Amino acid sequence: MRIVALAGGIGGARFLRGLLAAVGPQDEITVIGNTGDDIHLYGLKVCPDLDTVMYTLGGGIHEEQGWGRADETWSIKAEMKAYGVGPEWFGLGDRDFATHLVRSQMLTAGYSLSQVTEALCVRWNPGVRLLPMSDDRVETHVRITDEQGTRAVHFQEYWVRLHAAVDAEAIIPVGADTAKPAPGVLEALAEADVILFPPSNPVVSIGTILAVPGIREAVAAAPAPVVGLSPIIGGAPVRGMADKVLAAVGVEATAEAVALNYGPDLIDGWLVDTADEHAVAAVEAAGIACRAVPLLMTDVEATAEMARTALALAEQVRHGS
């Protein structure tokens, strides 16, 4: 079975770990990773979502945080602070710095982000084929109004420095309109047996991937069933600030509203948590097959069961049952 998943950071990475536990060694998983969170810091190209997937599946993630490296140290950051060089609000540990150094060196040497990601994955052996959504530069910005007036800030500043404490007025994937899908992305979608939307942020993770011209159209045109898992449980995100960015695009923070925002032209099936069982009828009335099942990723086995249920729903959709 050829499975393609569109994924953001922590939620997407943890779901993929469960997906790997749920499928057999003969199955192939391609992950199209969000690069809208990418940022340049200290002269280095940082790809938070790609790295979170790579570290999580490769056994190097800081489990409690869900991001960054395990057994991290912070000597470089301390030295940068001593020189008065910021930003102090974004934490890059010493081990993490090495990844960004290698990436930046390879990009400067003329390799594409896809080639660099493939090379980095040789070390981590994540068990999936990890593709950036695009080799072109795309950065998600957020329009806000604060004491400095109305302005746009990088998504990382909005989330990490401001902690999403200011209302998001608009989400702008800068550069997405002229970006091209990375090599292999459209082919993977066209050849997939199943396409999955993990419980990643529907606006700044999966939404940014779909903003790259050609990707949304390829998902909609794919012969494979497309099944998503709600990142909203009981009217709130499990973690993160999906409610903030959903409000910015005029979508309620409910499992039902997220499904309807994707729409039946894009997704064929949708899983909601048992706490949102009341949403099933409305989602199905819109032409999207829907089931209510436990969606808390409490451990790998619970997450694997979520993945099995998503794959089973895809089969039901495929056979019209």
Side-chain angles (χ1 to χ4, degrees), residues 5 25-26 61 65 68 92 111-112 154 158-159 188 204 223 289 310:
Q26 73 282 1
I61 198 74
Q65 290 179 163
L92 292 180
Y111 292 96
S112 68
H154 193 288
Y158 178 73
W159 175 231
V204 297

Side-chain angles (χ1 to χ4, degrees), residues 116-291:
V116 175
T117 303
E118 183 178 5
L120 293 172
C121 284
V122 170
R123 175 189 176 185
W124 291 101
N125 190 25
V128 302
R129 182 188 183 202
L130 179 59
L131 303 176
M133 67 189 196
S134 178
D135 284 339
D136 299 316
R137 183 170 178 174
V138 179
E139 290 184 1
T140 301
H141 289 198
V142 183
R143 192 181 75 213
I144 63 171
T145 299
D146 59 9
E147 66 278 359
Q148 299 182 42
T150 299
R151 60 197 178 100
V153 298
H154 193 288
F155 170 73
Q156 294 295 349
E157 183 175 358
Y158 178 73
W159 175 231
V160 180
R161 186 175 79 84
L162 300 177
H163 304 293
V166 183
D167 287 342
E169 299 171 356
I171 308 299
I172 308 103
V174 178
D177 57 336
T178 57
K180 297 179 181 177
V185 167
L186 298 184
E187 292 82 356
L189 291 168
E191 296 168 2
D193 296 308
V194 179
I195 298 172
L196 298 176
F197 289 4
S200 294
N201 191 301
V203 180
V204 297
S205 292
I206 293 178
T208 303
I209 297 171
L210 294 172
V212 175
I215 295 184
R216 175 182 287 272
E217 293 81 359
V219 172
V226 181
V227 173
L229 297 91
S230 175
I232 304 295
I233 295 179
V238 177
R239 66 178 298 151
M241 42 70 239
D243 51 339
K244 293 278 190 175
V245 293
L246 282 167
V249 298
V251 178
E252 283 187 279
T254 67
E256 173 188 343
V258 174
L260 299 183
N261 186 58
Y262 283 134
D265 293 338
L266 194 64
I267 61 172
D268 304 296
W270 187 245
L271 295 182
V272 302
D273 188 77
T274 49
D276 297 307
E277 191 167 2
H278 57 276
V280 171
V283 174
E284 294 211 317
I288 302 168
C290 187
R291 306 287 185 271

Side-chain angles (χ1 to χ4, degrees), residues 52-107:
T52 295
V53 170
M54 187 172 68
Y55 293 157
T56 299
L57 302 185
I61 198 74
H62 188 302
E63 287 290 348
E64 290 72 29
Q65 290 179 163
W67 55 270
R69 290 288 308 279
D71 303 317
E72 188 60 279
T73 53
W74 303 90
S75 299
I76 298 176
K77 186 179 181 184
E79 286 298 304
M80 298 298 280
K81 182 178 181 180
Y83 280 113
V85 176
E88 293 182 20
W89 52 264
F90 198 96
L92 292 180
D94 301 333
R95 293 172 183 265
D96 208 16
F97 255 105
T99 298
H100 310 315
L101 282 166
V102 173
R103 177 186 291 116
S104 301
Q105 285 181 330
M106 291 187 68
L107 289 171

